């Protein structure tokens, strides 16, 4: 797999090659108007290739920044879920402790207040369990959404990276070499 340094070196070498070709084209004396027109067209084409490579490189970097930002947002959301789950676990343990103490009391000695408190604790316990389930379900839904977003970004990147038969790697190594030209992608 190509490293970021190798990728940058390859970009740099390709850019130098194109610049050398442009310099040779500009320094070559033209004999007539037709040769001058052809030379100008070759120079414009080389400039377009350089600009397209720069645009593609910047777009890839932008997508990678978006991926990094998304990853941080996802980690933050996971930490929020984890924090809330831990709070609810502590709350559930406290309710369990209180409920056990009431349940251990002999029915003959339970007051009306104890029975009401027992019912309230059972309801609180159900609420806490439901909240924990909501957290688990939300976390699962987020993970599914994250995977779909990652696929969408990968497809968009694939379209950018394969334009003009150039193959690239993302800096985080997620994407493998792609030599497919996506039909219908045109730069203006």
């Amino acid at each position: 797999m190509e490293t970021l340094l190798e990728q940058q070196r390859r970009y740099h070498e390709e850019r130098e090659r194109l610049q050398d070709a442009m310099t040779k084209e500009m320094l070559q004396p033209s004999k007539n108007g037709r040769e001058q027109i052809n030379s100008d067209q070759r120079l414009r084409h080389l400039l377009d290739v350089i600009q397209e490579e720069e645009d593609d490189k910047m777009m890839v970097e932008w997508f990678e920044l978006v991926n990094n930002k998304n990853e941080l947002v996802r980690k933050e959301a996971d930490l929020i879920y984890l924090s809330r789950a831990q709070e609810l676990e502590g709350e559930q343990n406290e309710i369990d402790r209180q409920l056990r103490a009431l349940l251990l009391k002999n029915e003959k000695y339970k007051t009306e207040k104890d029975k009401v408190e027992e019912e309230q604790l059972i309801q609180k316990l159900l609420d806490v369990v439901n909240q924990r389930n909501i957290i688990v379900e939300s976390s699962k839904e987020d993970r599914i959404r994250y995977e779909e977003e990652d696929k969408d970004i990968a497809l968009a990147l694939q379209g950018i990276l394969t334009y003009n038969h150039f193959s690239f790697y993302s800096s985080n190594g997620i994407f493998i070499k792609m030599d497919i030209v996506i039909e219908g992608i045109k730069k203006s």
Side-chain angles (χ1 to χ4, degrees):
M1 184 178 292
E2 186 178 43
T3 66
L4 184 59
L5 183 60
E6 291 168 337
Q7 182 182 15
Q8 287 175 340
R9 183 179 299 129
R10 187 172 43 81
Y11 284 140
H12 182 72
E13 288 170 356
E14 179 68 17
R15 186 178 182 102
E16 281 182 353
R17 187 189 65 73
L18 290 170
Q19 288 173 340
D20 288 345
M22 288 175 56
T23 303
K24 287 177 185 174
E25 191 68 38
M26 288 172 31
L27 293 176
Q28 189 176 42
S30 57
K31 297 181 180 176
N32 60 37
R34 176 176 275 175
E35 286 182 12
Q36 183 62 44
I37 290 171
N38 287 339
S39 176
D40 289 346
Q41 286 177 346
R42 284 190 297 268
L43 281 173
R44 269 189 242 117
H45 173 72
L46 291 172
L47 284 172
D48 288 345
V49 169
I50 289 173
Q51 185 60 46
E52 286 174 4
E53 287 179 1
E54 286 298 313
D55 290 349
D56 288 348
K57 184 178 174 185
M58 288 175 64
M59 187 64 81
V60 169
E61 288 176 10
W62 181 78
F63 272 107
E64 288 176 350
L65 287 172
V66 169
N67 277 339
N68 291 340
K69 182 197 102 181
N70 287 346
E71 188 62 31
L72 291 173
V73 168
R74 293 169 183 178
K75 285 180 182 179
E76 179 185 29
D78 287 343
L79 289 173
I80 290 170
Y81 284 141
L82 182 61
S83 172
R84 183 64 182 138
Q86 287 175 341
E87 289 173 11
L88 290 172
E89 184 178 358
E91 196 174 320
Q92 182 177 348
N93 289 339
E94 179 59 26
I95 292 170
D96 283 342
R97 187 190 62 72
Q98 292 173 2
L99 191 56
R100 252 183 267 117
L102 282 174
L103 291 174
L104 289 175
K105 224 178 196 184
N106 194 335
E107 284 294 322
K108 289 192 279 185
Y109 301 115
K110 282 187 184 176
T111 65
E112 191 60 38
K113 181 182 174 192
D114 290 338
K115 291 177 183 178
V116 169
E117 185 178 355
E118 187 177 310
E119 288 298 319
Q120 288 175 341
L121 287 173
I122 290 172
Q123 187 57 46
K124 278 184 183 180
L125 183 62
L126 289 174
D127 290 342
V128 168
V129 168
N130 286 335
Q131 288 178 29
R132 289 181 74 184
N133 285 339
I134 289 170
I135 288 173
V136 169
E137 289 301 316
S138 296
S139 180
K140 285 180 185 177
E141 289 171 4
D142 284 352
R143 289 191 202 298
I144 291 168
R145 184 173 43 86
Y146 297 159
E147 289 173 6
E148 290 172 2
E149 288 172 357
D150 289 345
K151 287 177 186 175
D152 291 343
I153 289 172
L155 286 174
L157 261 176
Q158 184 179 8
I160 292 167
L161 297 176
T162 57
Y163 182 73
N164 285 337
H165 298 279
F166 289 105
S167 299
F168 299 88
Y169 292 93
S170 68
S171 65
N172 58 11
I174 290 178
F175 302 102
I176 58 173
K177 184 175 181 181
M178 296 174 275
D179 292 319
I180 304 165
V181 175
I182 304 298
E183 296 297 322
I185 297 178
K186 294 186 179 181
K187 299 270 182 173
S188 50

